[in-house]
Amino acid sequence: MCIGIPMQVADLEPGHAICVGRGERRRVNTALVGDLQLGDWLLVFLDSAQERISATRADEVNATLDLLAAVQTGEGGGAAAGFPLPSQLSAADLLVLTGTDNTMETPT
């Protein structure tokens, strides 16, 4: 799985930007995002900017990444998911979820 990292443009080079984010400084390919200005926020995957994002969106992604990091170190994970987990569903609910519910009558 590839996870996008929010990074802010600190310097510009032709076709690239020097970006900072999450304690790192990287040279990022900017071919997919067009012209940039210092201070712009990018969502970076494998040193390639895939999307220009707002500062608010960067904060949201960083908060989510912080939660994931906390769970990985055993510091989090006690919060509710906000939706029913498959492990908490009945067999009938799982069939409906996967689209394999055969309990519906078929017209004759």
Side-chain angles (χ1 to χ4, degrees):
M1 173 172 51
C2 188
I3 296 177
I5 306 296
M7 302 193 88
Q8 191 170 30
V9 176
D11 199 7
L12 295 167
E13 299 175 358
H16 292 83
I18 305 302
C19 297
V20 294
R22 301 199 64 78
E24 297 184 34
R25 184 176 184 88
R26 293 185 182 185
R27 184 173 185 256
V28 173
N29 184 309
T30 59
L32 298 177
V33 293
D35 293 332
L36 297 169
Q37 295 181 10
L38 296 179
D40 282 348
W41 281 95
L42 304 170
L43 197 55
V44 177
F45 295 80
L46 301 172
D47 293 332
S48 178
Q50 302 293 310
E51 181 181 351
R52 190 182 319 223
I53 60 175
S54 68
T56 301
R57 182 69 179 142
D59 289 342
E60 293 169 350
V61 174
N62 274 321
T64 302
L65 293 173
D66 290 343
L67 288 172
L68 286 172
V71 169
Q72 288 178 328
T73 61
E75 298 172 13
F83 54 87
L85 298 172
S87 61
Q88 298 170 331
L89 297 176
S90 69
D93 289 337
L94 284 172
L95 288 173
V96 171
L97 179 68
T98 61
T100 56
D101 180 12
N102 293 326
T103 61
M104 297 178 59
E105 292 183 30
T106 56
T108 55

